[in-house]
């Protein structure tokens, strides 16, 4: 055993109380215990400073300091004389700390001085207490943070007066305020700082548990893709979530998200300008668009499942029974198999009648408002959840995930060619770029095929691009369009067939209860300050999931086979001339 080990063993024996003086009488023992208590009391602050320096956390430091104090008390109980109490306390601290670190198996920070990390200054009476220095520094750090949480005017006046030394009169002149108003700001700031320094909330803030939220929209975005562009930062999304259920002041928001008020104010201002956040009484703000959380997702999925199972067969039978008549129109793509065509015709037919389930005046009344950023939209926030969270909270999660759509896209080339495409679970959930230039190229190709003219070199290049996306094929020198493409007359005949089929099952009566249930759901879930028009629009948009609930039920019930891997790239896409 080396000297260091022997020393540790000696300290261990003395700490556990094996070295005691049993020869003392009762009065002597009582006097000795009083002296021990005095010594422990004298060193208690410095012991806590040592523990805090080691652990960096008040509660943990209190635990370690208690263990050190107990060990010190027990080591002195025997009345043994100590020549150098500072050195003895250092040994007790070092030994107890070693045991504590080993017991908790953690890599604690080490102090700057000495092999055992125990700073000599901790126990030097002539030096300022490290505990005092640490508490002072921690208080200053917390004070700076609390000042950062203050609203802009409170913050500016506080910094000018207390940090820059400006007089009340000078500050009043700078801002064009009365001296009394400046004093009020200072008084309010002191009150809020005092409250903040005392605050020990047990609730986790969004700074520790931030949410991830995607913000989408219905309608037309602004020139810089607003509103999505307002929420590129994690902080902006968490500000919206924090102020969703109830209005908060800037200071309250800053504390909630753990960011300085200046950053919060900067992000809130453009949201207020376009109406995505609203001002409330008492200098408070509140999020002014709907945010979907797990509760909303769960109720929506259950509702879609119930409605989808109830009405899926009726839609399938109505469209499938007319498929021969539709294929007889000889449109481009009519050579494709029946399953592939039904994956296009059934969703398109449901969508057409979904928007006719109620009088058109109702849909006009919930149209998206014009925004100051140039867009015309409603924003909607969707909190992102992990797959494990989804499975744990959504009944039949493997079914519900098929109700998600990445886009129902109406497209046009600015002229005669129009298209509808849905990016769904069955198409791979990939956003497929199928825009105006693609439609123009497809229209030129259709013209050449109709007129049986040879493709120009340019048209061949365009056809090759479309072939990569699966919309066109060129086998053995024969070019063909692989998606439904109707000319103007064919499309008129097609819509007439679809209309007759859906009228026969009273499709509007099947779809209106879906909309009514979604409206009732979001009237209940949305905060009361959200405008009824926005709640109505959001409800109708979310109810569009019935399209995919119907398709899922048809697959699950065995009425509609799944598409092949090759078909997924061009699935649920229709093009027509108008």
């Amino acid at each position: 055993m080396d000297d260091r080990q022997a020393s540790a063993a000696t300290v261990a024996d003395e700490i556990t109380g094996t070295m005691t003086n049993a020869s003392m009488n009762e009065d002597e023992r009582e006097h000795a215990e009083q002296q021990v208590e005095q010594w422990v009391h004298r060193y208690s602050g410095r012991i806590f400073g040592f523990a805090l320096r080691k652990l960096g956390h008040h509660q943990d430091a209190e635990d370690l300091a208690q263990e050190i104090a107990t060990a010190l008390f027990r080591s002195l109980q025997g009345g043994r004389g100590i020549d150098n109490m500072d050195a003895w306390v250092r040994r007790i601290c070092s030994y107890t700390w070693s045991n504590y670190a080993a017991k908790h198996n953690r890599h604690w920070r080490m102090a700057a001085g000495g092999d055992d990390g125990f700073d000599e200054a901790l126990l030097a009476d002539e030096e300022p207490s490290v505990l005092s220095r640490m508490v002072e520094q921690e208080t200053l750090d917390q004070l700076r943070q609390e000042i950062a949480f203050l609203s802009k005017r409170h913050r500016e006046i506080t910094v000018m007066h207390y940090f820059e030394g400006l007089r009340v009169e000078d500050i009043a002149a700078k801002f064009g305020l009365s001296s009394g108003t400046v004093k009020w700001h200072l008084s309010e700031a002191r009150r809020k700082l005092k409250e903040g320094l005392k605050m020990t909330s047990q609730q986790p803030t969004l700074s520790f548990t931030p949410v991830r939220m995607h913000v989408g929209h219905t309608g037309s975005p602004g020139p810089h893709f607003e509103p999505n562009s307002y929420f590129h930062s994690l902080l902006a999304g968490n500000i919206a979530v924090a102020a969703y259920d109830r209005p908060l002041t800037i200071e309250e928001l800053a504390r909630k998200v753990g960011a300085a008020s200046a950053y919060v104010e900067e992000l809130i201002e453009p949201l207020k300008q376009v109406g995505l956040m609203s001002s409330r009484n008492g200098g408070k703000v509140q999020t002014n668009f709907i945010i979907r959380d797990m509760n909303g997702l769960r109720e929506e999925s259950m509702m879609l499942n119930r409605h989808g199972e109830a009405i899926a067969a009726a839609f399938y039978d109505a469209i499938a029974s007319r498929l021969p008549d539709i294929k007889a129109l000889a449109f481009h793509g009519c050579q494709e198999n029946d399953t592939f065509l039904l994956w296009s015709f059934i969703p398109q037919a449901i969508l057409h009648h979904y928007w006719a389930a109620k009088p058109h005046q109702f849909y006009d009344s919930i149209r998206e408002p014009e925004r100051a950023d140039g867009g015309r939209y409603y924003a909607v926030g969707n909190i992102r959840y992990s797959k494990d969270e989804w499975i744990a909270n959504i009944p039949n999660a493997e079914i519900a995930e098929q109700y998600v759509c990445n886009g129902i896209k109406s497209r046009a080339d600015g002229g005669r060619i129009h298209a509808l495409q849905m990016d769904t679970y069955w198409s791979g959930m990939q956003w497929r770029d199928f825009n105006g230039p693609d439609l123009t190229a497809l229209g030129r190709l259709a013209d050449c095929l109709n007129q049986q003219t040879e493709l120009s070199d340019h048209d061949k290049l365009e056809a090759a691009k479309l072939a990569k996306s699966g919309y066109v094929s060129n086998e053995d020198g024969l070019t063909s369009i692989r998606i439904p493409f109707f000319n103007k007359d064919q499309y008129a005949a097609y819509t007439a067939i679809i209309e007759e089929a859906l009228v026969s099952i009273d499709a509007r009566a099947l779809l209106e209860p879906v909309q009514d249930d979604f409206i009732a759901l979001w009237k209940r879930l949305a905060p009361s300050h959200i405008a009824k028009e926005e709640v109505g629009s959001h409800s109708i948009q979310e109810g569009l999931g019935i399209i995919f609930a119907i398709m899922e039920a048809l697959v699950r019930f065995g009425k509609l086979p799944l598409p092949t891997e090759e078909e997924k790239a061009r699935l649920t896409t229709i093009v027509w001339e108008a």
Side-chain angles (χ1 to χ4, degrees):
M1 180 181 296
D2 60 26
D3 292 341
R4 190 179 184 89
Q5 291 173 319
S7 176
T10 301
V11 173
D13 288 340
E14 292 172 342
I15 286 176
T16 55
T18 58
M19 292 187 176
T20 60
N21 188 347
S23 62
M24 289 189 296
N25 61 40
E26 186 173 343
D27 291 337
E28 290 173 332
R29 280 197 297 270
E30 182 177 351
H31 177 69
E33 286 181 1
Q34 290 176 352
Q35 286 186 317
V36 168
E37 290 176 358
Q38 290 174 0
W39 281 116
V40 172
H41 178 74
R42 174 181 173 182
Y43 282 92
S44 60
R46 301 172 193 180
I47 289 171
F48 181 76
F50 168 81
L52 186 61
R53 182 165 182 165
K54 286 293 186 182
L55 301 176
H57 187 277
H58 273 272
Q59 186 171 347
D60 291 336
E62 288 175 356
D63 293 341
L64 176 57
Q66 181 63 41
E67 290 190 23
I68 294 172
T70 300
L72 179 60
F73 185 91
R74 294 179 64 184
S75 72
L76 298 174
Q77 271 186 315
R80 177 175 176 168
I82 304 295
D83 294 331
N84 188 335
M85 185 60 71
D86 286 355
W88 180 252
V89 174
R90 280 200 299 274
R91 294 175 68 188
I92 297 294
C93 286
S94 179
Y95 179 83
T96 309
W97 159 242
S98 297
N99 287 341
Y100 184 96
K103 179 172 63 177
H104 292 274
N105 193 28
R106 293 170 65 175
H107 301 287
W108 303 102
R109 72 182 72 178
M110 295 300 292
D115 291 341
D116 63 0
F118 193 92
D119 193 338
E120 293 281 342
L122 281 172
L123 299 172
D125 287 336
E126 66 273 13
E127 293 291 332
S129 167
V130 170
L131 173 61
S132 299
R133 296 201 302 269
M134 293 185 68
V135 170
E136 179 181 349
Q137 184 60 49
E138 184 174 354
T139 301
L140 286 173
D141 290 343
Q142 190 176 358
L143 179 62
R144 291 189 186 98
Q145 183 182 52
E146 292 299 325
I147 291 173
F149 288 158
L150 293 174
S151 64
K152 183 178 181 181
R153 185 52 54 88
H154 280 356
R155 187 172 65 252
E156 290 174 337
I157 291 177
T158 298
V159 171
M160 287 179 181
H161 184 65
Y162 291 107
F163 289 82
E164 298 176 5
L166 270 66
R167 298 182 306 161
V168 169
E169 294 78 9
D170 296 332
I171 298 172
K174 182 177 179 64
F175 288 113
L177 302 172
S178 69
S179 295
T181 300
V182 172
K183 291 178 180 178
W184 175 84
H185 278 290
L186 290 171
S187 175
E188 282 295 290
R190 287 195 300 270
R191 179 182 64 81
K192 291 176 180 179
L193 291 172
K194 186 176 180 180
E195 289 176 355
L197 290 171
K198 289 182 176 179
M199 195 178 298
T200 55
S201 172
Q202 298 301 312
Q203 296 299 321
T205 67
L206 289 171
S207 64
F208 299 126
T209 56
V211 301
R212 299 190 178 275
M213 182 175 72
H214 170 74
V215 176
H217 69 277
T218 63
S220 304
H224 302 293
F225 209 60
E226 296 91 348
N228 312 61
S229 58
Y230 296 133
F231 297 94
H232 283 168
S233 71
L234 186 66
L235 178 58
N238 280 267
I239 288 171
V241 171
Y244 182 60
D245 291 318
R246 64 186 183 91
L248 299 174
T249 64
I250 297 298
E251 294 97 325
E252 289 170 336
L253 268 175
R255 289 190 174 91
K256 190 78 172 176
V257 300
S261 292
Y263 296 119
V264 174
E265 290 163 342
E266 184 178 4
L267 290 170
I268 284 177
E269 192 56 36
L271 300 180
K272 290 170 63 178
Q273 291 176 3
V274 297
L276 297 182
M277 293 199 84
S278 300
S279 298
R280 297 285 184 261
N281 293 334
K284 297 184 177 184
V285 294
Q286 188 165 19
T287 302
N288 200 31
F289 61 90
I290 290 175
I291 297 176
R292 296 167 74 213
D293 61 7
M294 186 62 77
N295 186 38
L297 293 171
R298 180 172 53 252
E299 296 207 38
E300 283 187 358
S301 67
M302 294 169 62
M303 195 176 296
L304 289 173
N305 183 273
R306 175 166 50 85
H307 282 291
E309 290 183 350
I311 63 179
F315 279 93
Y316 178 86
D317 294 341
I319 304 301
S321 64
R322 272 73 169 185
L323 190 57
D325 296 334
I326 297 173
K327 295 179 70 172
L329 297 174
F331 53 89
H332 290 290
C334 65
Q335 76 281 359
E336 299 297 322
N337 66 72
D338 290 0
T339 295
F340 175 80
L341 293 174
L342 288 173
W343 274 100
S344 293
F345 296 152
I346 294 175
Q348 194 262 0
I350 299 170
L351 178 66
H352 176 73
H353 274 249
Y354 183 86
W355 287 110
K358 291 182 177 294
H360 68 84
Q361 294 89 344
F362 171 77
Y363 301 111
D364 289 342
S365 71
I366 60 174
R367 287 190 64 196
E368 295 84 358
E370 293 185 3
R371 304 282 182 173
D373 55 23
R376 188 183 186 115
Y377 57 80
Y378 285 121
V380 57
N382 292 283
I383 296 178
R384 294 177 175 177
Y385 296 100
S386 68
K387 187 168 185 178
D388 288 342
E389 289 174 312
W390 179 270
I391 292 172
N393 289 278
I394 304 295
N396 300 311
E398 72 285 354
I399 293 175
E401 68 177 345
Q402 300 176 55
Y403 302 159
V404 180
C405 174
N406 200 29
I408 299 176
K409 304 174 294 188
S410 296
R411 296 289 186 262
D413 70 345
R416 63 190 176 98
I417 309 298
H418 298 259
L420 174 71
Q421 186 177 68
M422 302 184 191
D423 294 327
T424 69
Y425 173 87
W426 301 279
S427 66
M429 282 298 289
Q430 298 298 316
W431 179 272
R432 294 173 289 179
D433 289 321
F434 190 52
N435 300 312
D438 302 306
L439 299 181
T440 298
L442 201 60
R444 287 174 56 84
L445 178 59
D447 289 340
C448 291
L449 295 176
N450 292 338
Q451 299 166 13
Q452 297 183 339
T453 59
E454 186 176 351
L455 299 178
S456 67
D457 290 341
H458 175 74
D459 291 336
K460 288 179 181 178
L461 288 174
E462 293 298 319
K465 293 178 183 177
L466 292 169
K468 288 183 179 179
S469 300
Y471 304 126
V472 171
S473 68
N474 190 352
E475 297 179 2
D476 300 325
L478 181 64
T479 300
S480 63
I481 296 175
R482 303 291 308 278
I483 55 176
F485 186 113
F486 298 93
N487 65 31
K488 186 174 182 178
D489 292 337
Q490 290 168 341
Y491 190 67
Y494 163 74
T495 54
I497 294 171
I498 294 295
E499 181 70 20
E500 181 275 327
L502 296 186
V503 167
S504 70
I505 61 170
D506 200 1
R508 291 178 176 84
L510 296 177
L511 293 171
E512 186 173 18
V514 178
Q515 297 185 0
D516 290 340
D517 282 355
F518 268 81
I519 291 171
L521 172 65
W522 281 103
K523 279 185 177 179
R524 175 166 54 84
L525 294 182
S528 59
H529 69 278
I530 303 291
K532 65 177 182 179
E533 293 82 5
E534 184 164 357
V535 173
S537 176
H538 176 77
S539 302
I540 298 301
Q541 291 291 336
E542 294 305 317
L544 283 168
I546 190 62
I547 298 171
F548 315 111
I550 287 173
M551 302 305 288
E552 184 281 324
L554 292 177
V555 172
R556 183 156 42 94
F557 294 159
K559 295 183 74 69
L560 183 66
L562 288 168
T564 66
E565 286 298 317
E566 182 274 330
E567 291 170 341
K568 286 182 178 181
R570 53 194 169 94
L571 198 69
T572 318
T573 306
I574 298 178
V575 182
W576 67 92
E577 295 179 355

